[in-house]
Amino acid sequence: MDKENTTSADLDPVAIVESESGARNPTGSFPKKVLFAVPLVWTIFQLWYASPLPFLFNFFVINDSEARAIHLAFAIFLSFTAFPTFKKSPKNYIPLQDWALGLIGAFCAAYLYIFYVELSARPGLPTQMDLVVSVIGLILLLEATRRALGPPLMVVAIIFCIYTFGGQFMPDVISHQGASLSKGMSHYWLGTEGVFGVALGVSTGMVFMFVLFGAMLESAGAGNYFIRTAFAALGHLKGGPAKAAVVSSGLTGLVSGSSIANVVTTGTFTIPLMKKVGFKAEKAGAIEVACSTNGQLMPPVMGAAAFLMVEYVGISYIEVIKHAFLPAIISYVALVYIVHLEACKMGLEGMEKKITKTIAQRLLSFVFTILFLIILAGATYYGLGWIKVVGGAATIYIVSVLLAVAYLFLLWVACKVPELETNLEIKELPHLGQTAQAGYYYLLPVVVLMWCLVVERLSPALSAFWATVLMIVILLSQRPLKGFFRKMKGEEFSFQSGFMDLINGSVAGARNMIGIGVATAAAGIIVGTVTLTGIGLVMTEFVEFISGGNLMLILFFTAIISLILGMGLPTTANYIVVSTLMAPVIVNLAAQNGLIVPLIAAHLFVFYFGILADDTPPVGLAAFAAAGISGGDPIQTGIQGFIYDIRTAVLPFMFIFNTKLLMIGIDHWYQLIVVVIAAVFAMLAFAAGTQGYFLVKCRIWETAALLLVALLLFRPGIVWDKIFPPLLEEPPTQIAKYVEEMDPGSALRITLKGEKMSGKEFTKTIMLTVGDEATGAEKLAGVGFETREEEGKIYIDNVIFSSAAEKSGVDFDQEILHIQVPSHRLPPELMYFPAAGLYVLVWWIQFRRRKKLQPAALAA
């Protein structure tokens, strides 16, 4: 078959997706039932665990450690039964050895649940049986990881195991005492520092519910609705299908846990259409790869990394979403713009639009849409808030009735237009109004999710549970209600069909969790190795050595190492590995260079580069998935995708130095507006500069000017700080008096000089938040340390255990070199004015050149 003429109709999406949820499709009745029933039971268990029902009925109440053991038991069993040993192994039946290995692996994982009381009575003193189960369990976990995710994560985990037990044989620079089998297995398998640690806990408590929610949305038809709505809205623009790919991938990425799953879900629709309007196979695939990779950066899920950041960074889930939101949005805005520039360069047009509106009609429609959304949001927020005041304990019942009324009304509205098509190929541009109207009710569960998270401040797991409960209601009722409203009968509108949609969505959600479950467990081996051996300090020293202490080189080498570590790993495991090893490196080495980097900024930095590994050759799994659909070369697809993603690679460097991009240090709403506008225009300038095309093809100086504009808008302090230093250094002798005059909640910045274990001296800057104590000495004690004076120098005299100072690395006998005091200066945002002037100059020159080129183009 001619690759260039391949359409989505020629593809088998099930064959593509099966790599995510299990590649076996047994023909026998019993194994088929097992691979259907076990994921279903897993989903029921997770729904029970996430719900308040165990506490209401006081039945099967289990703690987090027990739940993790059961969660991993399901994941390991399904890894051996749903995935064949090798590509050539039988897929139409499950060999006997796979049954045996699956059951043994499940027992080893559930061992912590079955013998929980006995194990808790002998911590650190494992019996021979404990050690045998731990060793077998660890080996089977590694094999399950290889089957479900391929060799990369398994190889990395094995290397870390070898390092743990063979530390005494390692080169001096990374050597350590080496752990005994008893100590290693207690740490890896029998405790909560390794396999059954934080990562698996997040997978058990939060990730499963969000993946299940996404699977049920897909089963209900919301995935098809999002894609067709994106096409209806954007398909008529230049390169419209590609722009629709960006938006639909972003919407899918909101709840998707994998960039590869994102590619195969939206790519089967978007890639053939991009080729149809003129994009080459490699560029069509690369655009989808870039969209899907960026989908993992989109809150609220971020490929499950958002929930892990809550645990690792120690901030609330809402804070994580707030910090990650702006970089993700401007990255998507830039990708839409890059697609537009590509279409302009190639002279492409969009799909034909049946109904055209005048500019006045479009503006009026836009204004009414925005006003409607504002009124709806206000009515929801303040209306429900009023109900809480008036209704009290009855609020939940009142809100439930209102939700039911809203659902019935929106479903009735949906039945006023034709049903959405479900065929893979979109042959003509859908009507936007009718397409959007056909699925407004799909937004209700998303509204419930965000309401529970943002307003009610429920836990992510409980919020996802209530949103999933609404999805269950929709799945069961939408078909018979549609039949009632449309006055139609048949199997399509029966309750049984809706029930099967629910069951299939539940099974799909659990099968999609197999890889994430074993990935978080296997990544726990790496986390356990770091806590057991101290390899994290070695990574810090290694990066410091190869960078020579230069901050930009430190960030560059950290980015490269994160890319390498992320190759071939799924999003969740990817983040666990890179954040455990590399995030502390950035914080520590930046502090030694006088730059205070918030921990969330460091985690987002390594996360971004770990994610970019999905489209970076030679591994680039997302690129291979896209190339399988487009018929293009996977390496060229990956390279082109990485070129599109350069804008994403630049963002982390920017928000390390300008934390306002993460909405840190923004005190007023107008500051937020300025930051958002500047960031958007900066990203557009950068995209135009790297693409070499703005209004017309750029000359070299225009490209340089656009890149300079982007730098000044992203980081105005790069010039301003050289002219007007942001901080002044004051002697530390008056530290108590200075701190006494500080307002509660203010930041105390001090530079410390100390000595490492190796005897090498270092300096670093830390930032501590002062409290509301009365005197300076009390405020210093409140942040966690006391001082003494010797020969005119100020030293740390005492550090309070588990205080903010201790967590920041303050230690006994460190010298306080100076206090950093904010200087009174004009805001660095004044640099936006010359940047805007240069921006306008480039635009004006290119605008005049385009006017001259247009007559020649028409004549040709």
Side-chain angles (χ1 to χ4, degrees):
M1 180 170 51
D2 183 5
K3 285 186 177 181
E4 288 300 315
N5 293 325
T6 302
T7 68
S8 55
D10 300 317
L11 298 164
D12 179 9
V14 176
I16 300 168
V17 176
E18 68 183 11
S19 63
E20 289 287 316
S21 57
R24 274 207 179 109
N25 186 19
T27 54
S29 173
F30 178 73
K32 190 182 285 288
K33 288 178 181 177
V34 168
L35 289 185
F36 185 84
V38 173
L40 182 60
V41 173
W42 190 8
T43 294
I44 294 169
F45 161 73
Q46 293 287 165
L47 284 168
W48 177 265
Y49 174 63
S51 75
L53 296 178
F55 304 99
L56 288 175
F57 295 106
N58 196 27
F59 174 73
F60 195 47
V61 179
I62 57 175
N63 62 34
D64 291 346
S65 297
E66 292 173 308
R68 294 173 192 181
I70 297 171
H71 180 84
L72 184 58
F74 276 112
I76 290 181
F77 176 78
L78 288 170
S79 295
F80 282 101
T81 51
F83 292 90
T85 311
F86 303 106
K87 287 183 179 179
K88 294 183 179 179
S89 298
K91 297 180 182 178
N92 57 348
Y93 70 94
I94 303 174
L96 187 61
Q97 68 270 19
D98 284 355
W99 285 111
L101 291 173
L103 290 170
I104 294 169
F107 170 77
C108 292
Y111 187 78
L112 272 76
Y113 168 71
I114 298 168
F115 299 101
Y116 182 79
V117 176
E118 292 85 345
L119 288 168
S120 60
R122 52 172 190 267
L125 298 170
T127 63
Q128 187 175 10
M129 179 66 175
D130 294 341
L131 292 177
V132 170
V133 168
S134 301
V135 171
I136 294 174
L138 201 65
I139 293 170
L140 291 180
L141 171 62
L142 292 170
E143 169 59 13
T145 304
R146 184 195 66 80
R147 290 192 185 206
L149 304 167
L153 182 57
M154 180 198 72
V155 171
V156 172
I158 289 173
I159 291 170
F160 275 81
C161 285
I162 293 171
Y163 178 72
T164 296
F165 295 111
Q168 64 271 38
F169 305 112
M170 299 292 163
D172 290 342
V173 69
I174 61 170
S175 65
H176 65 97
Q177 186 177 352
S180 65
L181 182 66
S182 175
K183 184 178 180 181
M185 288 301 109
S186 295
H187 198 79
Y188 280 142
W189 199 266
L190 301 174
T192 56
E193 293 290 326
V195 169
F196 296 94
V198 170
L200 187 62
V202 171
S203 175
T204 307
M206 301 184 205
V207 179
F208 192 103
M209 290 309 302
F210 275 84
V211 171
L212 177 63
F213 177 64
M216 286 190 175
L217 268 175
E218 183 66 34
S219 183
N224 181 51
Y225 170 70
F226 289 150
I227 291 169
R228 291 185 183 274
T229 303
F231 270 97
L234 301 171
H236 65 285
L237 303 174
K238 287 186 176 181
K243 291 174 182 174
V246 176
V247 174
S248 57
S249 291
L251 292 170
T252 306
L254 291 176
V255 291
S256 170
S258 164
S259 53
I260 302 164
N262 208 332
V263 167
V264 299
T265 302
T266 59
T268 48
F269 289 87
T270 59
I271 290 175
L273 275 169
M274 282 190 268
K275 290 172 65 180
K276 184 178 287 186
V277 297
F279 283 93
K280 291 183 179 178
E282 285 76 17
K283 285 196 173 183
I287 289 169
E288 181 58 47
V289 167
C291 304
S292 300
T293 302
N294 276 214
Q296 302 306 289
L297 309 176
M298 281 293 292
V301 176
M302 296 163 61
F307 312 118
L308 290 160
M309 284 181 192
V310 171
E311 301 294 334
Y312 289 168
V313 181
I315 60 178
S316 70
Y317 179 71
I318 301 302
E319 287 290 304
V320 171
I321 291 176
K322 183 184 83 172
H323 297 318
F325 181 74
L326 182 56
I329 287 297
I330 61 175
S331 187
Y332 262 105
V333 168
L335 188 53
V336 172
Y337 186 55
I338 286 173
V339 168
H340 176 74
L341 294 177
E342 287 282 11
C344 289
K345 283 193 280 186
M346 293 186 283
L348 303 180
E349 295 298 330
M351 300 172 73
E352 185 180 350
K353 193 172 185 179
K354 294 179 181 178
I355 302 172
T356 56
K357 294 182 180 179
T358 63
I359 294 177
Q361 288 175 320
R362 290 177 186 174
L363 284 174
L364 192 64
S365 175
F366 177 77
V367 169
F368 274 117
T369 302
I370 296 297
L371 286 174
F372 173 75
L373 290 174
I374 291 172
I375 293 168
L376 185 63
T380 304
Y381 186 87
Y382 293 105
L384 289 180
W386 177 78
I387 290 170
K388 286 184 69 175
V389 174
V390 175
T395 301
I396 182 67
Y397 304 107
I398 298 171
V399 171
S400 298
V401 171
L402 290 175
L403 264 178
V405 171
Y407 169 55
L408 290 172
F409 173 72
L410 291 176
L411 197 62
W412 175 76
V413 168
C415 291
K416 295 296 179 181
V417 295
E419 281 287 312
L420 294 176
E421 292 184 15
T422 56
N423 60 302
L424 290 176
E425 189 172 6
I426 300 174
K427 296 179 179 178
E428 59 182 31
L429 191 68
H431 185 278
L432 177 56
Q434 291 184 356
T435 305
Q437 186 176 331
Y440 283 137
Y441 65 93
Y442 289 130
L443 302 179
L444 283 176
V446 180
V447 170
V448 168
L449 175 66
M450 298 313 298
W451 175 268
C452 291
L453 284 171
V454 177
V455 180
E456 297 294 336
R457 295 297 179 105
L458 301 181
S459 70
L462 193 55
S463 300
F465 169 77
W466 288 118
T468 304
V469 168
L470 181 54
M471 274 309 310
I472 291 172
V473 172
I474 290 174
L475 280 164
L476 289 173
S477 63
Q478 66 170 345
R479 286 180 181 271
L481 285 174
K482 281 183 177 180
F484 174 76
F485 288 134
R486 293 186 185 278
K487 297 180 171 54
M488 299 176 70
K489 293 183 179 180
E491 188 177 340
E492 182 185 350
F493 301 103
S494 66
F495 175 82
Q496 288 81 0
S497 295
F499 181 74
M500 285 312 301
D501 287 341
L502 170 61
I503 298 299
N504 290 331
S506 301
V507 172
R511 290 189 66 144
N512 289 341
M513 275 299 300
I514 300 172
I516 297 175
V518 294
T520 50
I525 296 172
I526 296 153
V527 176
T529 300
V530 172
T531 56
L532 187 61
T533 65
I535 184 65
L537 294 174
V538 175
M539 292 299 295
T540 301
E541 292 177 358
F542 172 72
V543 173
E544 184 181 19
F545 172 74
I546 61 174
S547 65
N550 181 280
L551 184 56
M552 283 305 297
L553 285 178
I554 288 169
L555 293 174
F556 176 75
F557 285 122
T558 303
I560 296 297
I561 293 170
S562 297
L563 267 175
I564 294 169
L565 290 172
M567 284 186 179
L569 301 185
T571 303
T572 314
N574 181 327
Y575 169 68
I576 296 167
V577 173
V578 297
S579 64
T580 303
L581 289 175
M582 303 311 302
V585 173
I586 294 176
V587 175
N588 294 334
L589 295 182
Q592 292 179 27
N593 282 267
L595 177 68
I596 296 173
V597 176
L599 191 54
I600 183 65
H603 275 255
L604 285 171
F605 182 94
V606 297
F607 175 59
Y608 267 53
F609 282 101
I611 287 298
L612 286 177
D614 276 347
D615 63 8
T616 307
V619 180
L621 298 180
F624 277 88
I629 301 171
S630 70
D633 180 83
I635 300 298
Q636 288 183 27
T637 300
I639 292 171
Q640 186 65 56
F642 187 75
I643 291 171
Y644 291 147
D645 266 339
I646 287 176
R647 81 214 182 286
T648 308
V650 167
L651 266 178
F653 286 95
M654 295 300 109
F655 62 60
I656 285 289
F657 292 101
N658 181 12
T659 54
K660 287 183 179 178
L661 292 171
L662 302 178
M663 300 191 199
I664 297 173
I666 296 177
D667 301 319
H668 303 285
W669 62 267
Y670 55 82
Q671 287 181 316
L672 175 62
I673 292 174
V674 170
V675 168
V676 170
I677 292 173
V680 169
F681 277 98
M683 188 53 88
L684 296 180
F686 183 81
T690 52
Q691 291 296 304
Y693 196 97
F694 189 22
L695 300 181
V696 292
K697 187 176 181 181
C698 292
R699 290 166 179 161
I700 293 176
W701 77 266
E702 291 171 337
T703 296
L706 288 169
L707 295 177
L708 178 60
V709 166
L711 180 61
L712 292 176
L713 291 177
F714 268 135
R715 193 185 165 197
I718 196 169
V719 174
W720 202 254
D721 291 351
K722 302 293 183 185
I723 306 170
F724 307 103
L727 298 166
L728 301 175
E729 294 180 353
E730 298 289 345
T733 50
Q734 300 296 317
I735 185 171
K737 183 180 178 182
Y738 172 71
V739 172
E740 186 174 335
E741 295 173 355
M742 292 178 67
D743 295 327
S746 300
L748 169 65
R749 300 172 66 113
I750 56 175
T751 302
L752 299 169
K753 179 182 177 183
E755 193 174 278
K756 295 181 181 179
M757 297 289 288
S758 60
K760 183 180 177 182
E761 286 190 345
F762 70 90
T763 60
K764 69 176 181 178
T765 303
I766 64 166
M767 182 169 67
L768 300 166
T769 303
V770 299
D772 56 359
E773 293 83 0
T775 67
E778 289 173 348
K779 284 186 175 180
L780 288 176
V783 298
F785 68 91
E786 298 171 354
T787 62
R788 71 176 190 274
E789 185 175 351
E790 290 182 7
E791 301 176 358
K793 296 181 179 180
I794 303 297
Y795 294 91
I796 302 295
D797 191 45
N798 181 38
V799 181
I800 298 171
F801 176 73
S802 196
S803 64
E806 187 198 42
K807 292 176 181 177
S808 298
V810 178
D811 207 348
F812 298 98
D813 291 333
Q814 289 177 346
E815 181 187 352
I816 302 178
L817 294 179
H818 45 252
I819 311 166
Q820 292 187 351
V821 182
S823 62
H824 298 286
R825 61 171 189 163
L826 292 170
E829 285 76 14
L830 289 173
M831 288 301 301
Y832 290 162
F833 289 103
L838 185 56
Y839 212 156
V840 171
L841 177 64
V842 175
W843 177 87
W844 181 68
I845 291 171
Q846 290 214 356
F847 179 75
R848 292 185 62 191
R849 194 156 76 244
R850 188 176 70 173
K851 286 187 71 175
K852 291 179 182 178
L853 291 172
Q854 280 176 342
L858 290 171

